[in-house]
Amino acid sequence: MFKLLSALLLPLMAMQATELPSKQYLTLAAIKTMVASSEAKAKELNVEVTICVVDESGNLLFLEKGDGASLNTLEFAQKKARHAAFYGSPSKDGADAVKKGNIEVLAFPQFFPNQGGLPIKVSGHVLGGIAASGAKSEIDEQIAQAGIDALLKK
């Protein structure tokens, strides 16, 4: 009886497993690639920044404070990266919304209105966010963009 039941259930279990979607995620190698490129860009621009990478839910995957970066950049980089991952848009969009007088957005979860965080998108899916903090906001975004560019080249 057990053999008959197993023979009937095995094909059903195999069908369900093959129907599961595969999920892309940020691997350690991908994170290292992005961080190395972001560090190189910061060095090229002669700035000390904190670099942060989070997954699509805003969970911290990487955080590194540059030697000369101030302590507050640890929080700012995380907030910028989380905003980008959570909303799938640059944290600059948040800053622009506030500048236009849309202050109710400040109540949104993980919302941070400061340029420097970018979503990490691959094949149209948000895998996380990357941010830099410690230089002018435009430069922070350039450093984050260098990380994304390096990831997408691979």
Side-chain angles (χ1 to χ4, degrees):
M1 180 69 161
F2 180 71
K3 288 183 182 179
L4 178 62
L5 186 59
S6 295
L8 292 174
L9 289 178
L10 206 55
L12 289 175
M13 291 171 48
M15 283 189 339
Q16 288 179 348
T18 59
E19 293 174 12
L20 293 174
S22 61
K23 180 181 173 188
Q24 292 181 313
Y25 60 93
L26 294 171
T27 63
L28 182 57
I31 294 167
K32 286 180 178 182
T33 297
M34 289 188 298
V35 169
S37 184
S38 292
E39 287 174 335
K41 185 67 171 179
K43 186 174 183 177
E44 172 190 323
L45 297 171
N46 198 31
V47 292
E48 294 286 339
V49 296
T50 293
I51 298 169
C52 180
V53 178
V54 298
D55 68 12
E56 75 279 5
S57 298
N59 297 305
L60 185 62
L61 299 176
F62 179 87
L63 182 64
E64 175 184 77
K65 182 182 143 323
D67 292 336
S70 63
L71 287 176
N72 64 340
T73 63
L74 290 165
E75 288 294 322
F76 286 163
Q78 291 177 74
K79 288 180 178 194
K80 291 177 185 184
R82 285 189 177 112
H83 175 104
F86 209 72
Y87 295 103
S89 66
S91 59
K92 182 183 185 311
D93 290 357
D96 291 343
V98 172
K99 285 178 186 173
K100 291 177 184 173
N102 189 4
I103 60 169
E104 53 273 352
V105 295
L106 294 171
F108 293 174
Q110 302 298 334
F111 187 87
F112 191 66
N114 194 287
Q115 186 176 1
L118 297 171
I120 302 166
K121 291 184 180 180
V122 177
S123 303
H125 295 88
V126 176
L127 303 184
I130 183 170
S133 181
K136 290 184 178 180
S137 294
E138 305 82 37
I139 293 173
D140 288 344
E141 187 171 296
Q142 287 177 30
I143 292 166
Q145 186 64 56
I148 292 173
D149 292 345
L151 176 68
L152 297 179
K153 278 184 187 176
K154 281 197 148 201

